[in-house]
Amino acid sequence: MIALGIEGSANKVGVGIVREDGTILANPRHTYITPPGHGFLPKQTALHHQEHLVALVQAALKEAGVTPADISCIAYTKGPGMGGPLVTCAVVARMLSQLWRVPLVAVNHCVGHIEMGRAVTGARDPVVLYVSGGNTQVIAYAERRYRIFGETIDMAVGNCLDRFARVLHLSNDPSPGYNIEQLAKQGMRYIELPYVVKGMDVSFSGILSFVEEAAGRMLADGSATPADLCFSLQETLFAMLVEITERAMAHCGAPDVLIVGGVGCNMRLQEMMGVMVSERGARLYAIDERYCIDNGAMIAWPGLLALKHGQATPLSESTCTQRFRTDDVLVTWRD
Amino acid sequence: MTTSHAAEEASTSESHYVDHENPIIGLHNCKLIQQGAEARVWEGVYLGKPAVLKQRFSKRYRHPSLDARLTQTRLKQEVRSMLRARKLGVLTPCVLCVEHEASTIYFERVEGVSVKQALSSGALQPAAQLELLRAIGSAIAALHDGGVIHGDLTTSNLLVRAADNALVVIDFGLSSNSSIAEDKAVDLYVLERAFTSAHASCGPLFEDVLASYRQHSRLWCPTLNKFAEVRMRGRKRAMVG
């Protein structure tokens, strides 16, 4: 069996082709990059996806060396994500499924990240830290669902970083978070920022307001450099994430940690998590930007797993939704 | 003869393990019982009493200034909140001693099991279970009315004392003082999530906790209104990524 997955819930659009044994045959992707100081809006992002999606499908088929006749199912992102971009991908998925007469499978984006991470690293039953532009969750598997143990009570960590990058007018190429990470390496001074952990939950919006205000003031009077601010912001945010992950590990008694999602490819976060994990005698599983950042294979793979367990999605139910919790998905393919 | 014997003992390869097994002078027969997220918890005998020792350790992943700030403020806040909780009539382990430099607190040892164990063992009779859930609700109500926000309410941080089945609240490391409805609501929300993630198969247990909270808190109305708001926020969070 071979699955083709279409992902485009945010500013990345990707098509992945995955074989039954987990081999990724092709996984091309295109990113919508906005000018410095700007975020991406649903309408323009959807237009971007419309422009690139068909070409990506063709490129993926060519790279994988397969024909439409070899494809057993089309998996697409049902949600969560931005409405316009999600609909764009769903339309293409429906069209391909009818054209090639293969079943559709709707996939939860968050579950896609988790299953991709497990497949690539071989982690069996880890505590998962899922950190991206739209999500911040600490997840562990129990009784056929990915349960959310901790999460942000306001904005996502990637959103906090992206918005701070806009304040500093950093480039969005390849991503604002990457540029913050590079600039933070030159940071010399740690500026005290609020630190907000509530049990296994975190909150970032107050920190963002604080650092935005501090940036205006401190950059104007020269008491801090943009690098110092990036460094301090990363140190604070990531310490919070590592702390809640450790708390979840202590709570569930799990020995392994897997980091997924776009922020997961930040080397400083991986380094801090690595220190925590080694102190506990546990193992860290991390993946690089090919799989951390949204891609088609992360949708194709769980789609294939779901199909094998009889979870195809009829055309009449092939909708998408902006809000779709990780723990809403019944995980039929795990014990 | 005795001196050489002592020297011999000190030079044996075991000597560097001594610190690990007996971290602090004053606590005897130490045993590490848990490595939590920010502290090691030891069990032993202090001044002839069964005691628990909680030692916050430095987190090497954190920036040193951030680490020092968090360790010190949480230590102080923990002891203060426990004292305050006891004044409000909520059972907590008695604080025996604080060693500030070593970031260590000595507590009375409470014999019993955690609420998490009690609920998941399935050994509780329905009536006893209801009583336990109601006790949780009234204890949180008392804390909140007295301006104490626990900050890390989970079923692992609530104990059932073996002697009299009384509820004992532990781990005030993330506590704060506040009388704002939002803070209380988030406190309840954290506990609700602990119930739904760890005891999903036991049914709607948290409803009983809330009902009891409502009955016992003087300020239940603004808190529970806010709680409904925080819950909604919780659901919306699934967005892009």
Side-chain angles (χ1 to χ4, degrees):
Chain A
M1 283 171 103
I2 294 177
L4 182 142
I6 300 175
E7 154 62 29
S9 60
N11 68 333
K12 273 81 62 181
V13 60
V15 176
I17 298 182
V18 178
R19 215 163 48 195
E20 198 174 354
D21 61 1
T23 314
I24 298 167
L25 301 174
N27 202 13
R29 151 175 86 197
H30 202 277
T31 307
Y32 173 50
I33 293 170
T34 50
H38 294 270
F40 52 92
L41 297 168
K43 190 175 171 187
Q44 285 80 355
T45 311
L47 279 171
H48 165 268
H49 291 5
Q50 286 163 25
E51 266 169 43
H52 290 91
L53 198 38
V54 173
L56 281 169
V57 170
Q58 287 166 336
L61 288 172
K62 195 173 166 203
E63 190 188 328
V66 296
T67 63
D70 301 320
I71 304 290
S72 325
C73 75
I74 307 289
Y76 75 99
T77 311
K78 184 181 175 72
M82 283 183 160
L86 281 173
V87 170
T88 301
C89 296
V91 166
V92 173
R94 283 180 215 130
M95 185 266 292
L96 290 179
S97 132
Q98 293 184 83
L99 197 63
W100 299 344
R101 299 183 189 286
V102 287
L104 270 175
V105 186
V107 173
N108 179 300
H109 182 83
C110 314
V111 172
H113 272 296
I114 298 169
E115 292 302 345
M116 184 87 255
R118 285 181 61 230
V120 171
T121 62
R124 286 181 58 203
D125 189 17
V127 165
V128 183
L129 177 67
Y130 170 27
V131 276
S132 68
N135 291 281
T136 303
Q137 300 177 336
V138 181
I139 302 157
Y141 178 80
E143 296 167 43
R144 304 220 157 236
R145 288 192 195 267
Y146 284 109
R147 314 248 171 216
I148 303 170
F149 278 75
E151 60 185 324
T152 170
I153 58 168
D154 39 55
M155 74 201 309
V157 63
N159 193 217
C160 183
L161 289 166
D162 289 355
R163 281 169 63 174
F164 189 62
R166 273 179 238 164
V167 172
L168 297 180
H169 275 266
L170 297 182
S171 165
N172 289 327
D173 188 13
S175 70
Y178 178 81
N179 292 315
I180 286 196
E181 182 182 354
Q182 302 315 312
L183 194 52
K185 288 178 184 165
Q186 300 153 30
M188 306 294 284
R189 206 158 70 79
Y190 176 74
I191 297 148
E192 204 165 285
L193 300 175
Y195 185 93
V196 195
V197 170
K198 294 167 193 288
M200 278 185 263
D201 290 342
V202 285
S203 158
F204 299 115
S205 66
I207 301 175
L208 180 65
S209 308
F210 184 95
V211 75
E212 279 176 344
E213 188 274 335
R217 188 165 35 83
M218 298 179 94
L219 293 176
D221 68 13
S223 57
T225 64
D228 292 339
L229 291 164
C230 290
F231 169 71
S232 307
L233 185 62
Q234 276 201 166
E235 289 299 311
T236 309
L237 299 182
F238 295 166
M240 289 163 58
L241 295 174
V242 176
E243 181 178 345
I244 59 167
T245 308
E246 185 168 18
R247 192 158 287 134
M249 289 172 81
H251 192 73
C252 341
D256 299 336
V257 177
L258 170 67
I259 312 181
V260 299
V263 183
C265 53
N266 186 305
M267 295 311 290
R268 179 60 187 144
L269 174 61
Q270 291 188 10
E271 184 190 0
M272 287 167 75
M273 193 66 83
V275 172
M276 180 276 279
V277 160
S278 68
E279 279 176 357
R280 295 187 68 85
R283 270 171 305 185
L284 171 65
Y285 294 97
I287 44 183
D288 62 32
E289 43 82 31
R290 285 172 299 166
Y291 309 113
C292 256
I293 296 176
D294 296 351
N295 60 81
M298 64 175 251
I299 300 303
W301 175 238
L304 195 58
L305 293 174
L307 183 75
K308 282 203 283 186
H309 288 79
Q311 278 183 306
T313 307
L315 185 65
S316 58
E317 290 169 26
S318 62
T319 54
C320 42
T321 168
Q322 284 150 292
R323 294 183 183 140
F324 188 7
R325 301 246 325 156
T326 316
D327 47 11
D328 281 347
V329 179
L330 185 68
V331 181
T332 49
W333 55 88
R334 280 188 71 175
D335 297 328
Chain B
M1 183 67 197
T2 39
T3 45
S4 74
H5 183 72
E8 195 182 293
E9 216 175 46
S11 67
T12 57
S13 59
E14 281 179 8
S15 62
H16 64 275
Y17 287 115
V18 171
D19 280 346
H20 193 66
E21 280 168 12
N22 264 319
I24 305 288
I25 304 157
L27 190 74
H28 300 289
N29 305 325
C30 285
K31 201 176 98 196
L32 182 66
I33 51 172
Q34 202 206 350
Q35 167 144 5
E38 53 167 0
R40 293 191 184 94
V41 181
W42 307 73
E43 223 173 47
V45 177
Y46 178 71
L47 300 177
K49 286 181 189 151
V52 167
L53 177 151
K54 179 170 175 180
Q55 184 180 37
R56 285 195 161 71
F57 49 89
S58 167
K59 292 283 174 185
R60 286 192 297 114
Y61 67 80
R62 288 200 285 238
H63 190 275
S65 1
L66 176 63
D67 189 61
R69 173 181 135 211
L70 290 177
T71 306
Q72 287 308 314
T73 50
R74 286 179 179 175
L75 177 85
K76 265 189 260 174
Q77 193 60 42
E78 175 160 20
V79 178
R80 283 183 185 154
S81 294
M82 290 182 81
L83 189 66
R84 228 168 143 171
R86 290 174 75 87
K87 284 183 182 163
L88 294 166
V90 175
L91 289 178
T92 67
C94 180
V95 176
L96 303 174
C97 174
V98 179
E99 280 192 58
H100 213 80
E101 296 72 27
S103 312
T104 301
I105 311 175
Y106 294 73
F107 302 108
E108 153 204 17
R109 184 160 87 209
V110 177
E111 299 294 345
V113 295
S114 70
V115 168
K116 186 182 181 183
Q117 290 166 316
L119 289 177
S120 41
S121 70
L124 283 180
Q125 296 298 320
Q129 178 170 311
L130 181 64
E131 200 182 321
L132 175 61
L133 296 170
R134 296 191 60 79
I136 296 171
S138 67
I140 301 170
L143 289 176
H144 284 182
D145 282 8
V148 177
I149 307 298
H150 183 279
D152 191 13
L153 286 172
T154 64
T155 45
S156 315
N157 285 339
L158 301 167
L159 305 182
V160 183
R161 190 156 69 185
D164 54 359
N165 286 334
L167 183 79
V168 180
V169 185
I170 62 164
D171 197 357
F172 285 75
L174 291 179
S175 65
S176 56
N177 302 339
S178 166
S179 50
I180 302 169
E182 163 87 20
D183 293 330
K184 298 176 192 171
V186 171
D187 216 20
L188 286 172
Y189 179 65
V190 167
L191 182 63
E192 181 184 38
R193 295 269 309 293
F195 267 94
T196 48
S197 54
H199 307 287
S201 56
C202 302
L205 303 176
F206 192 70
E207 294 308 312
D208 293 323
V209 175
L210 270 191
S212 163
Y213 182 90
R214 186 185 170 119
Q215 197 184 339
H216 290 95
S217 171
R218 275 181 291 114
L219 302 161
W220 63 270
C221 184
T223 307
L224 293 186
N225 282 340
K226 204 62 174 181
F227 176 64
E229 232 177 77
V230 173
R231 256 180 174 172
M232 289 308 291
R233 241 186 273 159
R235 294 200 182 283
K236 273 194 224 167
R237 228 159 320 95
M239 274 177 61
V240 293

